[in-house]
Amino acid sequence: MDDDLAGLPIERKVRLLTGKTMWRTHAEPAIGLRELVMSDGPIGVRGEKWDERDHSLALPSPSALAATWDAELVHGLAVALAAQARRKGVDVLLAPTINLHRSPVTGRHFECFSEDPFLTARIGAAYIRGVQSGGVAACAKHYVANDSETDRMTLDARVDERTLRELYLAPFEAAVEAGVWVVMAAYNAVNGTTMTENPLLAEPLKGEWGFDGVVVSDWGAVRSVAASANAPQDLVMPGPRSHWSLGLAEGVRSGEVPESALDEKIRRLLRLASRVSGPSTVEPGDDRELLRSAVTASTVLLRNEGNLLPLSTVERVAVIGPNSAAVRFQGGGSAEVYPTAVVSPVDGLRAALDGVAEVVHSPGVRTTTKPTPLHRGNSTHPVTGEPGLLVRVLGADDAELLTEHRLTGRLPEPSRATGEETVEIQAVLHPDVSGDWQVSFGAWGPVSLVVDGKTLVDEVIEVDTDDPATLFLDPTWRTVTVPLEAGKPAHIVARRQLSPDSSRASVLSADAPHGDHEFAEAVELARTSDVAVVVVGTTDESESEGSDRSTLALPGRQDELVRAVCAANPRTVVVVNSGAPVLLPWREDVPAIVLSWLPGQEAGAGLADVLLGAAEPGGRLPTTWPAEDVSAESVTPVDGRLEYSEGLDIGHRGWLRDGAEPAYWFGHGLGYTSWEYEEVLVEEGNRVRVRLTNTGSRAGREVVQVYLARPSSKITRPVRWLAGFAAVTAAPGVTAEAVVDLPDRAFQHWADDKWEREPGPFDILVGHSAGDIRLRAASW
């Protein structure tokens, strides 16, 4: 290999270290290196194309996966992702995201596992092992302290060394221990140096931990030549244009960058290629039942007064709320995928209650202010008349180069054609109500919008961001008001000019006029039903990659809707459809609250299983839910710097430090039975045995959580911290034993550039959550 590398010209070496396309690397036959294909994750494998016709499995969000507290289940789900990746020719899945839930207002909260480094490490390692068991590389991201979205491209996270080691680096250390093959360097800086140039890539990542894989940049995160090339940064994405492709060869010739640095990076790339080039050990299958079980395992029952759940003896069920028929199954941003179908809560309950009970529905309120892309339900191809849209790629003098029949007006990447100059989207809109419709077109550059032959928009939309999530997924739009009649089709033509250096994202949307009648209709349905199920939640506007949240409040009039429905029907269940904490100001007034997260494609099927008692809600909170709104100050840099001033006390640790009571503690979650914690025994070797009995009338599962505390410590510590957990299952009246082996690291702290254990015993605290401790003992 050394001889082969020595014979490669510098330009060809540099070429290997910067992407060929958005998702591919270059091949080099002289050293036996093929192209490698990468794809976004983590809930599915989208592949190289943003194409709604190319389907993917859609798992529950990572925050939901962590809510299972079940590494074995997560491993199985990751194996299914490996099979999907193999099917799509993907070598590297850009997941998991193992940053922490430092603040509840973080916009990308749903894509991270939890607020706790131990739980994140355990679930993240299981995910990595599952993906890589199928010969597909997992990519641990975003290294490191990429825990918020505000100014994420440029912020400088200021974190002391102990906090870095004990919190933010800990999941990455576990990922390396799990054998991860790729690590992604983040956009942000840490302690003054951007991560693609940061010494943390050398120590501890490649040195102390011995990471022998590839460090890939986040897309566009490399902003220098010599500084990043001299760092242990191995691969720049995307391509073909980057700082390295434009200047690294000259940097080597001038002596700024040693050629040996390039050779070391290429060796790592060759090692990665060899790891993902073996025969597939997994086969794609029908994974719907697995995904359905993941929904039930991640669903958290927050409240169940009077044992309203599981539901029984119902003849009419009202399913209400903006997310009840259009469930939010995934978060917004680069993680988006296109499943074959999504089961909504309405669909799931109707299927489960078919022949048993009537299911009626009303959305009640509208929560989004963004335009709604055209879809198969309201638009048809102007030539064939089939549901969907016509997309044309045009060249000089409007010569037609390519046509596509697309199924949605949201097109992050319309197909390419040689000589292209313009993308045109045509559709026939079929209004179902009369009134003033809002027709919108989102794109960058020169755009036009024509409705029934009348030009309503003709202008240039300037690019005002460098954030990829906005550039490629959320372009600026222009909206016009068009009076339309129900049943009278309208022909819409939208055009945008293409630029080689600009995003291709194009979105054609239409929204019907709406009033308040749906609110009254929803309340009336609730009043005349045996039970009301209200599905509330976030939107892509309020919870998405690229921006943090300004408030934890549910958008729109959803809180008002919950109160009105509960007043009309005291048998009300609220289902919260979000990837992160939201405020629940009515939580003491509603008998039952279920947290479904962003539950993936089998959302409604799994929810029906939980509500009707076919399965127990198995989830426990992986993050603390605040009782009141949270300031965005903790995620907002000041003069470019973001101080991690809370140190070790994030999440439940901060609540415990302040002696405050959140709405729901980290680890909280109810089942359909009850448990009595009876005894805890601590053995040598840090093994903890917990005896508990199922005192309810149903079989169930309990997650036994073990925390450590050291009230008399000579060093500053959290009040308590999670050290281990184990789940038990038992039939009614049966006693079970949970065995939890606490790792040595749980007793250690970082000081003087090493891990140390303070002499003497630690308190062993066994509980149902961080705020509900049932048993106590002392360690050896």
Side-chain angles (χ1 to χ4, degrees):
M1 186 184 298
D2 288 339
D3 289 342
D4 291 339
L5 284 177
L8 275 184
I10 291 172
E11 285 80 6
R12 286 167 67 182
K13 291 182 179 182
V14 169
R15 184 172 174 265
L16 291 178
L17 300 176
T18 192
K20 176 182 179 181
T21 66
M22 179 68 76
W23 305 111
R24 285 181 179 255
T25 65
H26 287 280
E28 180 50 74
I31 58 173
L33 182 61
R34 65 176 176 86
E35 292 180 358
L36 297 177
V37 178
M38 304 184 185
S39 170
D40 277 325
I43 70 160
V45 185
R46 190 178 59 249
E48 295 181 85
K49 299 181 295 183
W50 288 86
D51 191 328
E52 72 283 358
R53 300 165 298 180
D54 184 13
H55 297 139
S56 308
L57 288 180
L59 278 61
S61 64
S63 54
L65 297 184
T68 67
W69 292 59
D70 188 338
E72 184 177 349
L73 174 60
V74 171
H75 182 279
L77 291 164
V79 170
L81 290 180
Q84 290 279 304
R86 284 286 192 164
R87 177 177 68 83
K88 293 193 172 193
V90 169
D91 301 297
V92 181
L93 183 64
L94 301 172
T97 301
I98 52 177
N99 302 113
L100 299 183
H101 294 170
R102 176 174 169 262
S103 169
V105 299
T106 299
R108 209 171 180 177
H109 196 294
F110 61 87
E111 199 175 321
C112 309
F113 290 121
S114 86
E115 70 185 25
D116 185 80
F118 181 83
L119 179 59
T120 295
R122 177 78 69 85
I123 299 298
Y127 185 106
I128 288 164
R129 291 189 179 105
V131 169
Q132 294 186 171
S133 72
V136 176
C139 173
K141 65 182 189 181
H142 309 83
Y143 188 80
V144 62
N146 183 192
D147 309 295
S148 54
E149 297 295 285
T150 303
D151 297 339
R152 64 174 179 159
M153 310 290 289
T154 57
L155 74 83
D156 179 13
R158 294 288 173 152
V159 197
D160 68 82
E161 188 174 6
R162 183 183 174 200
T163 300
L164 263 177
R165 285 284 188 158
E166 294 187 25
L167 289 188
Y168 301 103
L169 286 172
F172 288 95
E173 183 176 9
V176 174
E177 290 175 355
V180 73
W181 295 340
V182 181
V183 169
M184 181 184 288
Y187 289 125
N188 57 283
V190 173
N191 295 331
T193 306
T194 192
M195 278 310 304
T196 53
E197 303 169 13
N198 201 289
L200 290 169
L201 294 176
E203 294 294 344
L205 180 61
K206 289 187 175 180
E208 177 188 330
W209 298 347
F211 174 63
D212 66 355
V214 169
V215 174
V216 64
S217 70
D218 204 342
W219 268 228
V222 167
R223 307 179 185 93
S224 65
V225 178
S228 56
N230 283 322
Q233 175 69 50
D234 299 315
L235 177 64
V236 176
M237 292 297 289
R241 291 172 59 87
S242 72
H243 284 81
W244 285 12
S245 67
L246 296 174
L248 184 51
E250 180 56 35
V252 174
R253 289 195 185 89
S254 68
E256 287 185 280
V257 180
E259 189 171 354
S260 60
L262 274 58
D263 293 344
E264 167 60 17
K265 301 176 195 300
I266 293 171
R267 289 188 186 96
R268 289 176 174 268
L269 200 59
L270 285 162
R271 185 180 296 123
L272 172 62
S274 69
R275 285 170 166 166
V276 299
S277 295
S280 176
T281 59
V282 292
E283 294 294 333
D286 183 0
D287 296 301
R288 289 188 59 188
E289 285 304 313
L290 175 63
L291 298 188
R292 184 171 180 162
S293 68
V295 175
T296 62
S298 62
T299 299
V300 181
L301 181 58
L302 294 174
R303 178 178 170 87
N304 193 20
E305 293 300 302
N307 293 322
L308 175 58
L309 294 177
L311 299 173
S312 61
T313 318
V314 292
E315 296 181 359
R316 178 177 161 99
V317 178
V319 184
I320 292 164
N323 294 32
S324 56
V327 65
R328 190 161 185 245
F329 71 95
Q330 66 177 340
S334 61
E336 294 177 12
V337 296
Y338 302 99
T340 303
V342 177
V343 183
S344 72
V346 172
D347 293 338
L349 283 167
R350 280 182 174 155
L353 293 172
D354 186 32
V356 176
E358 178 187 13
V359 175
V360 293
H361 165 255
S362 173
V365 296
R366 177 183 171 88
T367 54
T368 181
T369 60
K370 281 188 177 180
T372 306
L374 290 175
H375 51 83
R376 285 176 289 179
N378 64 3
S379 63
T380 55
H381 191 291
V383 178
T384 68
E386 297 178 273
L389 305 89
L390 166 64
V391 176
R392 300 198 306 155
V393 180
L394 309 175
D397 300 321
D398 286 349
E400 187 176 273
L401 306 177
L402 178 151
T403 64
E404 294 183 298
H405 178 191
R406 300 300 293 260
L407 309 179
T408 173
R410 184 170 183 266
L411 304 168
E413 288 183 339
S415 295
R416 297 179 179 274
T418 302
E420 62 185 13
E421 294 187 3
T422 304
V423 169
E424 178 188 87
I425 308 172
Q426 289 192 40
V428 177
L429 171 65
H430 297 269
D432 56 351
V433 296
S434 299
D436 288 339
W437 282 65
Q438 304 295 308
V439 180
S440 306
F441 185 44
W444 307 108
V447 302
S448 65
L449 179 62
V450 178
V451 180
D452 286 336
K454 184 177 180 180
T455 300
L456 302 178
V457 174
D458 186 5
E459 63 176 284
V460 176
I461 301 178
E462 300 290 349
V463 176
D464 58 0
T465 179
D466 61 354
D467 191 312
T470 303
L471 279 170
F472 293 96
L473 302 175
D474 192 19
T476 299
W477 66 85
R478 293 293 182 264
T479 300
V480 295
T481 300
V482 183
L484 299 175
E485 295 181 22
K488 184 178 180 180
H491 184 212
I492 304 175
V493 181
R495 282 190 169 202
R496 55 85 48 91
Q497 289 186 24
L498 295 171
S499 167
D501 298 323
S502 181
S503 159
R504 300 170 60 82
S506 308
V507 188
L508 181 58
S509 306
D511 287 282
H514 60 279
D516 294 333
H517 67 282
E518 290 179 337
F519 191 101
E521 176 187 71
V523 175
E524 179 62 17
L525 289 181
R527 188 186 66 79
T528 57
S529 298
D530 298 315
V531 66
V533 177
V534 187
V535 186
V536 297
T538 54
T539 68
D540 282 354
E541 298 165 64
S542 62
E543 185 186 14
S544 180
E545 178 184 354
S547 61
D548 292 315
R549 296 192 284 170
S550 59
T551 176
L552 298 184
L554 288 167
R557 299 174 62 194
Q558 293 184 91
D559 289 334
E560 184 183 350
L561 178 66
V562 169
R563 290 191 173 100
V565 168
C566 192
N569 189 334
R571 287 169 53 83
T572 293
V573 180
V574 178
V575 178
V576 182
N577 177 205
S578 71
V582 294
L583 297 181
L584 310 176
W586 31 259
R587 66 184 183 279
E588 299 297 331
D589 304 321
V590 176
I593 304 173
V594 172
L595 172 56
S596 70
W597 305 102
L598 306 179
Q601 68 184 59
E602 296 301 315
L607 177 63
D609 288 342
V610 167
L611 295 183
L612 301 176
E616 186 179 47
R620 303 293 185 267
L621 288 180
T623 196
T624 305
W625 277 48
E628 299 178 352
D629 217 345
V630 174
S631 169
E633 181 181 354
S634 64
V635 296
T636 305
V638 176
D639 297 328
R641 293 164 56 122
L642 184 59
E643 300 287 346
Y644 281 42
S645 55
E646 71 285 346
L648 298 173
D649 289 323
I650 67 170
H652 61 283
R653 301 174 176 202
W655 288 91
L656 290 165
R657 176 199 62 199
D658 296 339
E661 188 76 17
Y664 301 103
W665 284 102
F666 171 80
H668 172 72
L670 307 175
Y672 288 154
T673 189
S674 56
W675 296 87
E676 182 179 346
Y677 284 65
E678 297 173 343
E679 185 180 31
V680 56
L681 297 174
V682 181
E683 301 176 349
E684 289 191 57
N686 298 334
R687 171 164 287 185
V688 178
R689 295 183 181 273
V690 181
R691 191 177 72 237
L692 63 166
T693 298
N694 182 346
T695 56
S697 59
R698 287 178 53 123
R701 172 180 181 264
E702 176 75 342
V703 179
V704 177
Q705 302 161 40
V706 180
Y707 297 83
L708 293 180
R710 188 72 186 268
S712 59
S713 177
K714 294 181 179 179
I715 65 170
T716 302
R717 294 182 183 273
V719 173
R720 54 179 167 267
W721 60 97
L722 182 68
F725 62 89
V728 297
T729 56
V734 174
T735 298
E737 183 182 65
V739 179
V740 184
D741 290 317
L742 306 183
D744 291 339
R745 181 62 60 79
F747 296 87
Q748 297 172 344
H749 64 279
W750 185 261
D752 300 323
D753 295 327
K754 63 181 181 298
W755 292 102
E756 296 182 352
R757 174 168 174 162
E758 189 176 16
F762 287 69
D763 290 346
I764 305 288
L765 311 176
V766 178
H768 175 76
S769 74
D772 183 3
I773 301 302
R774 307 285 179 88
L775 299 170
R776 297 173 180 266
S779 70
W780 292 91

